Amino acid sequence: MRKSRRHFLAAGAAAASVGALSACVAPRVATFGHPSSYATQVVRPRNWNTVFHWVDVALQQVRDQRVLVPRAAYNFGLAMSAGFLAANSIVQAYDEPFGVGAGPRGADPEVAYGMAFATAAAEAFQQPFFFERMAFLSRFPASEAKTLGAEWGRAVGRHVVKMRVDDGSEPSEVNYYLDRYQKRSDALRWLPTGPFYGAQPGPAFASFDRGLYPGQGQIKPWTMASGSQFRPASFYDPASPEFAEAFDMTRRLGGVDSTVRTADESEIALFWEDGPWGVTPPGHFVCVAMQILQDRDLSFIELARAFALIGMTQCDASICAWDCKYHYDIVRPESAIRVRAPEFENPDPRIALDPGWRSYIPTPEFPSFTSGHSTFGAAAAELIALVYGRDDVVFSGQSPDAVLWPQLNGVTRRWTSLSHMAEENGMSRLYGGVHWEMDHTAAMKAGRAIARQAFRTTFPAKV
């Protein structure tokens, strides 16, 4: 990340008049209890706390600024880690690998959390959060602890932002190939999506848009050794029986006019689509984490740690998935089925052209292997289960952004475990016709591995 003019805005906010400042910043986020608040959908009032407050601020910014999926995951990781690191440096409950050091004695850790979160989020979202900071600080009575906490939180937030300078997340890095990944030249090569992919009602993608964020996989990870650490070994041989089976499965199951996809599977495809103008898949799982962890009786610092790990592993899931996507450069089903089938030279008669085939949900504008959805879902479910202490949590939920798919209004889905939820989320992309089966299975394995490693090694409790 590079420092920007927003640092000037944030630093000079106290000296600016409210009227002048309000003309150059985004509207205030919705408060808890308002229908536009994501936390309102899943958190009971008695469980409202500082962590959920700032997480909700970030979720709303993703929606209101229409932040794209990989960038949303990055922003969650930056802000949530900064908040935890500031509070933990005062409480001294966990070790951390980022060199923050010990906070000032007597500082309020919740104030520090909020100010560090807001400082990092201001850089991530290019929004100074002036009103949000003022409203948050007004909740705490004047005291030395408050003053120390605010000063320290801002310092830690700046430290985390500085730590991520030149981490590969700059637009000049993520928006271009820069010869870091080589394009395929064989039959499996990915090409941009055609102009016929949109949904009425629902989201759409630009016609023949260039690949989204080909440099995302090169961003410096938070918890992984590298973006390629959990890269799978290979994709199908296009002439193999396994590819023929996968081709036929997605063709039959994921087409807009499928006769084998059930009504429940169609609902699942829409329920987990999550974009591109809502909270995004990483944000959906952050909402699930708030819903589940509010009942675990975690202390403030335990909850802050949990959401730091969730944010950081969602960011790392995006890095892992995007590294795989552009390393392997695999064609999406819609291109394979509509125009590419003869090039695979597969003897199975099921691999045949179907020029009229369309995916049930919009096909994204980037390569297929592996599935970002499956990586996000597996990482989130595994991390939440590790924090909660068990996977077999029975729960239900509604779409956080039903406005994208009016068919989901009033729809509630139920799961018998966190892993059940993750599996359903990943399979939604096959029901929607935008992924191959191996995209899902390889991504689930990687997402779980990311979460397990992060939980075990990143913020261990102090002995």
Side-chain angles (χ1 to χ4, degrees):
M1 299 188 65
R2 291 196 175 99
K3 297 199 175 199
S4 69
R5 64 188 181 89
R6 297 291 179 176
H7 286 88
F8 172 79
L9 284 175
S17 70
V18 172
L21 185 62
S22 63
C24 62
V25 298
R28 291 182 64 179
V29 298
T31 57
F32 182 68
H34 191 281
S36 294
S37 157
Y38 286 104
T40 299
Q41 300 177 26
V42 295
V43 176
R44 290 181 291 278
R46 69 174 182 271
N47 295 327
W48 186 240
N49 58 56
T50 291
V51 174
F52 291 159
H53 168 80
W54 284 104
V55 167
D56 194 29
V57 168
L59 290 168
Q60 292 183 51
Q61 284 296 299
V62 166
R63 175 198 62 208
D64 295 345
Q65 295 192 27
R66 294 189 174 182
V67 180
L68 298 175
V69 174
R71 177 57 56 173
Y74 180 90
N75 290 1
F76 291 143
L78 188 74
M80 293 177 193
S81 63
F84 166 73
L85 288 168
N88 181 66
S89 65
I90 297 169
V91 176
Q92 291 287 296
Y94 299 95
D95 287 322
E96 52 88 5
F98 303 116
V100 173
R105 289 178 177 272
D108 188 315
E110 291 196 42
V111 172
Y113 180 97
M115 291 301 96
F117 192 113
T119 300
E123 177 65 24
F125 291 104
Q126 295 290 278
Q127 215 283 66
F129 297 109
F130 175 78
F131 297 111
E132 288 71 27
R133 297 186 205 217
M134 296 298 290
F136 173 73
L137 287 173
S138 70
R139 293 164 42 187
F140 298 84
S143 67
E144 184 180 8
K146 175 181 176 178
T147 300
L148 289 172
E151 291 175 350
W152 180 247
R154 286 188 286 266
V156 173
R158 290 191 295 268
H159 172 86
V160 174
V161 168
K162 183 178 180 180
M163 186 176 71
R164 299 299 296 191
V165 168
D166 294 329
D167 65 355
S169 67
E170 301 86 353
S172 60
E173 296 285 326
V174 297
N175 285 333
Y176 304 98
Y177 280 89
L178 302 177
D179 295 324
R180 292 170 295 191
Y181 295 103
Q182 297 302 310
K183 292 287 292 178
R184 301 183 75 103
S185 58
D186 62 5
L188 286 174
R189 68 193 180 281
W190 174 80
L191 289 175
T193 302
F196 30 77
Y197 286 95
Q200 297 295 329
F205 298 97
S207 299
F208 296 107
D209 209 4
R210 65 188 179 92
L212 177 68
Y213 290 168
Q216 182 77 16
Q218 295 291 319
I219 293 175
K220 180 182 179 181
W222 286 98
T223 68
M224 299 186 296
S226 70
S228 62
Q229 181 179 359
F230 299 109
R231 184 190 289 171
S234 63
F235 187 68
Y236 303 110
D237 177 344
S240 68
E242 292 80 10
F243 181 70
E245 189 65 31
F247 184 102
D248 187 57
M249 178 183 184
T250 299
R251 180 185 62 80
R252 291 185 303 106
L253 191 62
V256 68
D257 297 319
S258 172
T259 59
V260 301
R261 186 181 56 246
T262 67
D264 186 60
E265 290 167 344
S266 295
E267 182 179 284
I268 289 170
L270 301 185
F271 185 90
W272 292 106
E273 203 273 339
D274 282 332
W277 303 320
V279 76
T280 73
H284 194 158
F285 291 114
V286 170
C287 290
V288 170
M290 286 196 292
Q291 178 183 349
I292 299 299
L293 296 181
Q294 68 177 316
D295 293 323
R296 202 52 180 155
D297 195 28
L298 299 175
S299 68
F300 162 70
I301 199 62
E302 288 172 334
L303 193 66
R305 173 182 180 264
F307 276 88
L309 288 171
I310 289 166
M312 293 159 72
T313 52
Q314 287 297 286
C315 180
D316 282 1
S318 77
I319 295 169
C320 174
W322 259 251
D323 170 78
C324 292
K325 287 178 183 297
Y326 286 95
H327 173 77
Y328 287 105
D329 195 37
I330 298 298
V331 64
R332 289 279 182 172
E334 58 90 8
S335 295
I337 295 167
R338 290 176 66 96
V339 300
R340 194 74 63 77
E343 295 184 38
F344 298 132
E345 298 182 351
N346 193 303
D348 194 304
R350 294 176 296 177
I351 296 191
L353 280 181
D354 186 352
W357 190 90
R358 295 179 59 185
S359 61
Y360 179 54
I361 61 176
T363 293
E365 69 277 37
F366 41 87
S368 188
F369 184 64
T370 59
S371 166
H373 269 67
S374 297
T375 315
F376 293 130
E382 186 72 17
L383 201 289
I384 296 169
L386 288 167
V387 173
Y388 195 87
R390 56 190 293 183
D391 174 66
D392 58 339
V393 181
V394 178
F395 67 108
S396 62
Q398 296 185 333
S399 170
D401 291 296
V403 65
L404 296 176
W405 296 103
Q407 305 96 313
L408 296 176
N409 284 322
V411 170
T412 298
R413 295 206 58 79
R414 295 172 174 81
W415 306 283
T416 57
S417 66
L418 290 158
S419 56
H420 174 203
M421 174 203 66
E423 180 68 21
E424 180 182 284
N425 160 73
M427 285 299 297
S428 75
R429 308 304 277 174
L430 276 73
Y431 302 149
V434 302
H435 270 296
W436 310 108
E437 185 177 23
M438 186 182 283
D439 298 350
H440 165 58
T441 55
M444 290 288 287
K445 181 179 179 181
R448 288 191 291 264
I450 292 168
R452 289 168 185 164
Q453 175 175 277
F455 185 79
R456 185 179 68 251
T457 65
T458 305
F459 296 135
K462 285 184 177 291
V463 178

